[in-house]
Amino acid sequence: VRWDIKKENSVKKVSWISDLIARASYGITGTQGFAPYQAQQVYTYSMLKPYISSDGTGAELVALGNSNLKWQQTGQLNVALEAGFLNNRITAKVEYYQKRTKNSLTDITLAPSLGFSSIPENLGTIENKGVEFAASFIPYKDASREAYWIINFNGSHNRDKMTKISNALEYMNSVNAGKLDATPLPRYEEGQSLNNIWVVKSLGIDPATGQEVFQKRITGELTGVWDAVDVIPYGNTEPKLQGNIYSTFNYKGFGVSVGFNYRFGGQVYNNTLVSKVENADLRYNADRRVLDLRWQKPGDETHTNIPALYTSVEDVYNIDLPDGGFDNIYTMWANSSAMVVDASFLRCTQISLAWYMPQKMCAKFGATNLSVNASVNNPFVIASKRFDGFDPELGDSVMPKIFSFGLSVGF
């Protein structure tokens, strides 16, 4: 459905409104999302030779069949408003969407002993709601001076929620609920986001022992032992707002352009800290945080959240867990909120300068055009100090700065 509001008599008379359009749509799409043979057990004979001792031929399993697989079905509603003002020197668009996906598909990781790395499974029903917007401004424009200034920006906000989970996910939740792994295991609960980070809340380092202090989920009591029943959705990897900003200014052949992208809100699991500290291989070059930047004496807890390094195995390993198992303080630390970092950042993606020689000057040495340009990509990023200099998007490395210079001459 599309309504051109500008054509209405009451709006035609408003000179400062250039365009005004409202539109809405709804559709349902179906996706198979898996190979035809994966809904049932299928075998092949093509790659195997007959047995020498008999006239029989062996059969090879193509994939683990899943007779409960269903097509993924998505219903989506979109409502949008587009507008232009002052002869379209200002244009804007805002769009609301609501997407409901039934029998959402994913690949479930399997144990290597089963012979296959994964099997397709229906997750359940997922609901996404969000807003997308974009705007463009021309604050300055002077054709006689070949001058103009343009600002563009866009952004989006999305929130997801599982409204129904499948039996397969309920079983996965029951298996993961009692596990303490090297990093937090995923959990799926109705009413919760798929992007939640499930960890036990940490209150920092105990100044007396240098070990992590955890908070009980129900009672709020403090403890030094990690417990699976205390796991909560502490963060969400989906940002509250993300998008891009771009601006360009030109004046009599000189031009400058600047681009940014941004992300506000949302968290990430600091897997880099775990891999470079807890799982560091001391046979090779190690991060200085392994020794220097962790808790060593009372008072250090004010500027570090890395537990003390113990030389005695008994102090850190074979710690009894409430479920009857045992583990070490570093794995418990890696499954706590101490590893959850604010993922907000502002990145300058590009700065570029250009100069276009006037045609009269070019004609003096027989050229039709000449331009000089210089640019730098990814000159800087502003992000949480807890990334310790690493890039907030890449995690374990930095985004390279790229400098370029160009000269173009046409004859």
Side-chain angles (χ1 to χ4, degrees), residues 77-78 95-99 128-132 157-158:
L77 170 69
N78 292 73
E95 183 167 358
Y96 169 81
Y97 63 86
Q98 182 173 336
K99 183 189 300 183
N128 282 272
K129 295 180 180 179
V131 177
E132 297 177 343
H157 166 80
N158 179 76

Side-chain angles (χ1 to χ4, degrees), residues 94-310:
V94 59
E95 183 167 358
Y96 169 81
Y97 63 86
Q98 182 173 336
K99 183 189 300 183
R100 185 178 177 86
T101 303
K102 297 180 180 179
N103 303 315
S104 179
L105 286 163
T106 189
D107 287 328
I108 302 296
T109 302
L110 299 175
S113 58
L114 294 176
F116 297 94
S117 60
S118 63
I119 184 173
E121 184 61 76
N122 294 111
L123 282 173
T125 302
I126 302 173
E127 187 178 85
N128 282 272
K129 295 180 180 179
V131 177
E132 297 177 343
F133 62 89
S136 178
F137 302 88
I138 306 178
Y140 175 73
K141 185 177 181 179
D142 187 341
S144 63
R145 298 180 179 181
E146 299 179 357
Y148 61 87
W149 179 22
I150 301 176
I151 302 174
N152 297 307
F153 69 87
N154 61 65
S156 63
H157 166 80
N158 179 76
R159 278 293 175 260
D160 71 293
K161 179 175 66 175
M162 291 206 69
T163 58
K164 182 180 179 181
I165 64 173
S166 65
N167 293 333
L169 283 191
E170 288 182 352
Y171 174 74
M172 179 184 291
N173 285 338
S174 65
V175 172
N176 289 347
K179 283 185 177 181
L180 180 58
D181 210 345
T183 56
L185 294 169
R187 296 195 180 197
Y188 306 96
E189 293 187 7
E190 292 183 1
Q192 295 288 348
S193 168
L194 279 170
N195 299 305
N196 280 343
I197 303 173
W198 295 83
V199 291
V200 173
K201 186 175 182 179
S202 166
L203 296 183
I205 301 294
D206 186 341
T209 64
Q211 296 186 13
E212 200 77 19
V213 178
F214 306 104
Q215 185 177 46
K216 303 293 291 183
R217 178 174 60 88
I218 298 176
T219 65
E221 296 178 358
L222 305 184
T223 177
V225 180
W226 188 94
D227 192 343
V229 301
D230 299 324
V231 169
I232 59 173
Y234 189 80
N236 191 293
T237 58
E238 188 78 39
K240 292 182 179 179
L241 183 65
Q242 62 180 338
N244 302 278
I245 303 172
Y246 181 78
S247 180
T248 181
F249 179 79
N250 282 270
Y251 183 83
K252 290 187 175 181
F254 291 93
V256 57
S257 299
V258 182
F260 295 88
N261 63 29
Y262 63 88
R263 172 188 171 122
F264 300 137
Q267 296 78 35
V268 294
Y269 179 79
N270 195 350
N271 191 66
T272 304
L273 182 60
V274 176
S275 63
K276 291 184 177 295
V277 176
E278 181 199 352
N279 299 327
D281 191 337
L282 299 183
R283 296 175 299 172
Y284 304 98
N285 291 336
D287 192 301
R288 66 193 184 107
R289 289 172 292 186
V290 174
L291 295 175
D292 297 341
L293 300 183
R294 67 191 316 143
W295 189 94
Q296 299 181 49
K297 62 183 184 303
D300 289 348
E301 67 277 359
T302 61
H303 59 264
T304 183
N305 66 345
I306 305 175
L309 183 64
Y310 287 84

Side-chain angles (χ1 to χ4, degrees), residues 55-77:
D55 56 357
T57 301
E60 181 182 11
L61 184 63
V62 175
L64 291 178
N66 184 351
S67 59
N68 296 320
L69 275 180
K70 299 178 181 178
W71 277 45
Q72 177 175 294
Q73 187 180 79
T74 301
Q76 182 164 336
L77 170 69

Side-chain angles (χ1 to χ4, degrees), residues 368-385:
T368 57
N369 60 78
L370 184 148
S371 64
V372 181
N373 64 81
S375 67
V376 54
N377 293 342
N378 307 310
F380 67 88
V381 60
I382 302 173
S384 170
K385 292 182 179 180

